[in-house]
Amino acid sequence: MRAYWFDNLPGDQRELHDSGRTVDPAYLQNLGVIYHHITDDADLEKLAAERSYKNRDLITVSPEKMGDVYEEKVKSFFHEHLHEDEEIRYIRDGAGFFDVRSEGDEWVRVYLEKDDLMILPAGIYHRFTTDSKNYIVATRLFKEEPKWTPLNRGPEVDVNPFRKEYLQSRTP
Ligand code: KMT
Ligand code: NI
């Protein structure tokens, strides 16, 4: 895992967009983002049990797996959105970028590779993209029923109860 401020420069979303300014793990923690490096199945099971993640699936995002719709999918994952539940991703192969909004509404880019697990809190605005290798395999964990509905950023979603609760949790 590596986190840094997104450079906001034009160019393909899959490029690094590294401004050269690092974001430290404590800052991510303040945003409510939880990170673990997990190399042992037992540790994953422990975390899943502790946090009541009862369901999971495995997703591969690649042109080989997705065919013609790959480019379209990658663009859609990159639309800024939030969920009314945690988003948990455990990377099993390849790599990708999760961008999360900072307190000042800037993008923090989080680069995740194999064995990285990240939990995004409900209500945080974020987006995802593969990197220039166009390949990631991830386990998606969820508490109850899979609820993948992305709520795209906009005036209505800005006042969503989960958004409000998230903002309150961030400001002491
Ligand atoms: C998401 O939430 O954007 C995704 O599930 C993308 C694939 S997970 C690496
Ligand atoms: Ni999401």
Side-chain angles (χ1 to χ4, degrees):
M1 191 274 271
R2 207 167 68 80
Y4 53 84
W5 296 97
F6 188 79
D7 66 8
N8 292 308
L9 295 175
D12 193 284
Q13 66 192 50
R14 288 165 284 202
E15 288 167 15
L16 289 176
H17 290 280
D18 187 351
S19 65
R21 292 176 295 133
T22 298
V23 170
D24 61 63
Y27 185 85
L28 280 180
Q29 207 179 323
N30 281 338
L31 295 179
V33 174
I34 299 171
Y35 169 75
H36 293 285
H37 188 79
I38 296 184
T39 53
D40 189 334
D41 282 350
D43 291 335
L44 180 69
E45 296 315 322
K46 191 162 163 266
L47 181 101
E50 279 167 5
R51 298 184 69 92
S52 306
Y53 301 149
K54 300 190 189 78
N55 292 301
R56 66 187 77 173
D57 69 5
L58 189 71
I59 181 172
T60 300
V61 182
S62 72
E64 285 68 32
K65 187 81 179 187
M66 292 179 162
D68 289 348
V69 300
Y70 173 75
E71 289 294 326
E72 203 178 297
K73 275 277 182 193
V74 161
K75 283 200 188 83
S76 83
F77 288 144
F78 205 60
H79 288 139
E80 181 172 3
H81 65 277
L82 59 73
H83 306 279
E84 295 184 341
D85 211 338
E86 290 177 348
E87 175 166 319
I88 307 116
R89 297 291 182 270
Y90 181 39
I91 313 308
R92 304 316 303 130
D93 202 6
F97 301 112
F98 285 85
D99 296 339
V100 299
R101 284 291 189 187
S102 71
E103 286 162 33
D105 215 24
E106 299 291 320
W107 285 118
V108 174
R109 175 153 277 201
V110 184
Y111 183 60
L112 296 184
E113 299 171 274
K114 186 176 189 296
D115 297 335
D116 289 336
L117 183 148
M118 188 169 68
I119 304 170
L120 300 181
I124 193 172
Y125 279 124
H126 64 280
R127 63 188 184 186
F128 167 78
T129 184
T130 43
D131 69 5
S132 54
K133 291 189 178 144
N134 294 296
Y135 176 69
I136 191 167
V137 181
T139 299
R140 308 190 291 185
L141 297 102
F142 28 86
K143 284 188 173 147
E144 305 292 341
E145 290 310 302
K147 250 196 331 190
W148 298 132
T149 328
L151 303 178
N152 287 334
R153 188 165 182 170
E156 280 152 51
V157 178
D158 282 342
V159 296
N160 175 292
F162 291 87
R163 175 67 183 164
K164 288 188 184 167
E165 194 181 311
Y166 169 68
L167 289 174
Q168 274 160 17
S169 76
R170 224 180 43 182
T171 15

